[in-house]
Amino acid sequence: MIVYDVNGDGLADVIIAWHCHHYGLVWWQQVDGADGPPDWKQRIILSPDPNVGATEFRVSQLHAMDLVDMTGDGMNDIVTGKLLSGEPQIATTSPRPVEVGTTFSVFSNPRLRA
């Protein structure tokens, strides 16, 4: 989960996996509540119900996320990853144990300002 002012309106928003063991990435935009507590508007970045038969991008089990300017354009990108099996598997044949099957994804979004 990341708390970040995605759209630059001065309000903290939330970027979160839809469900940690399924598909989906969501941005919850904080909006001013009329004379009350803040309200939230759901913005879907990645669908929680992708067409697995299509070639569209999809990734599941988004356990870890960070905001980093990966392209050097001054705007933050969402970096997330998952393990191939969803659970850590350690390779002990190297001098330094590493997790096997780790994949990373980067989502560039012009609304994510550094």
Side-chain angles (χ1 to χ4, degrees):
M1 175 189 315
I2 298 170
V3 177
Y4 178 75
D5 181 7
V6 174
N7 58 353
D9 64 0
L11 299 174
D13 305 308
V14 177
I15 301 169
I16 189 167
W18 194 286
H19 185 287
C20 64
H21 288 267
H22 297 289
Y23 292 98
L25 183 61
V26 179
W27 157 33
W28 287 96
Q29 179 186 359
Q30 185 178 170
V31 294
D32 284 326
D35 299 322
D39 201 1
W40 301 91
K41 183 173 186 176
Q42 183 185 71
R43 306 280 190 167
I44 297 173
I45 299 170
L46 288 175
S47 171
D49 189 26
N51 178 353
V52 294
T55 58
E56 69 187 38
F57 179 79
R58 61 188 177 276
V59 64
S60 64
Q61 301 181 33
L62 305 176
H63 291 289
M65 283 184 267
D66 203 354
L67 288 177
V68 179
D69 180 4
M70 296 293 290
T71 58
D73 62 1
M75 295 188 293
N76 283 330
D77 306 299
I78 301 171
V79 180
T80 185
K82 71 173 273 186
L83 300 173
L84 183 63
S85 67
E87 301 298 332
Q89 297 180 17
I90 305 299
T92 57
T93 55
S94 68
R96 188 171 48 122
V98 296
E99 290 184 0
V100 177
T102 302
T103 59
F104 299 94
S105 302
V106 176
F107 303 96
S108 293
N109 187 330
R111 292 181 298 213
L112 302 175
R113 296 187 209 108

